[in-house]
Amino acid sequence: MADKEKTIEVLQAIVTGLSANSFGHRIQSKVFAGLGFQALGDKYTTHATEEMDFVEQFMDRILDLGGEIKQEAQEAKPIFTDIIEFIEYDYNVSVEGIAFLNEVMDSGIFDATTYDLMKVYLKDEEEDMYWSEQQLDLIKMIGKQNYLTQLLINGPTAE
């Protein structure tokens, strides 16, 4: 059975965490572009924008449900200059986030509208996780230096 207060609480947690992740992706985009990997920088800029689009949808939903949006503090996140270390880190964040989303979606607290919004967001998160997983598999197959060379020549694979 839908629980409006619990739904607002979960949506707020997502707004807080996702806005921090979006900003982290924006920072990483600048770092990677500064290292000469402009296409990868552009990919993470686009990703950060997509995340903020979801943040806005979740904030709208909080307001639709009669809740109040909060700006909550987040602890500092690491910034990476090593691209592979960042992809590994980002992959792990996705895995943990997807587990959380599946748990709250299975809990039955969401009304139909919120549930549908969460399904769209979950699909986007899964696509991000699969992209990171594909990159990590590629790195294992061709090695770090070949992967970085491929990034410089072709940009990131499989947007």
Side-chain angles (χ1 to χ4, degrees):
M1 182 170 171
D3 181 336
K4 187 166 81 167
E5 293 307 315
K6 188 68 175 166
T7 295
I8 292 168
E9 181 182 316
V10 168
L11 289 173
Q12 179 61 57
I14 293 170
V15 164
T16 299
L18 188 55
S19 59
N21 285 346
S22 175
F23 190 65
H25 283 125
R26 179 88 50 192
I27 292 170
Q28 288 299 155
S29 75
K30 295 294 185 188
V31 170
F32 296 151
L35 292 172
F37 295 91
Q38 186 62 52
L40 189 61
D42 292 345
K43 183 217 178 333
Y44 281 111
T45 295
T46 300
H47 184 59
T49 300
E50 290 170 354
E51 288 173 321
M52 284 309 296
D53 289 345
F54 277 110
V55 167
E56 290 193 22
Q57 291 176 59
F58 293 135
M59 288 190 300
D60 288 342
R61 189 68 191 139
I62 290 170
L63 294 173
D64 289 346
L65 294 169
E68 293 182 17
I69 302 167
K70 301 172 190 162
Q71 183 176 2
E72 298 174 319
Q74 276 283 297
E75 64 182 66
K77 307 273 195 254
I79 302 301
F80 296 84
T81 55
D82 185 295
I83 292 169
I84 286 74
E85 286 179 10
F86 176 72
I87 294 172
E88 289 171 343
Y89 172 83
D90 204 42
Y91 172 78
N92 290 324
V93 169
S94 290
V95 168
E96 291 170 13
I98 288 168
F100 170 76
L101 292 173
N102 281 318
E103 181 182 320
V104 295
M105 289 176 72
D106 289 344
S107 72
I109 65 167
F110 296 136
D111 58 274
T113 302
T114 304
Y115 189 84
D116 287 346
L117 176 59
M118 296 300 287
K119 283 192 326 189
V120 173
Y121 176 56
L122 177 61
K123 182 178 185 286
D124 184 71
E125 283 301 303
E126 287 175 340
E127 289 170 0
D128 296 337
M129 180 192 69
Y130 293 140
W131 182 86
S132 294
E133 186 175 57
Q134 178 189 42
Q135 301 312 296
L136 294 170
D137 288 345
L138 185 59
I139 293 161
K140 285 178 189 169
M141 286 190 295
I142 67 173
K144 179 178 180 175
Q145 293 308 317
N146 289 331
Y147 177 78
L148 294 174
T149 301
Q150 178 264 327
L151 276 181
L152 285 172
I153 295 169
N154 302 319
T157 60
E159 300 293 320

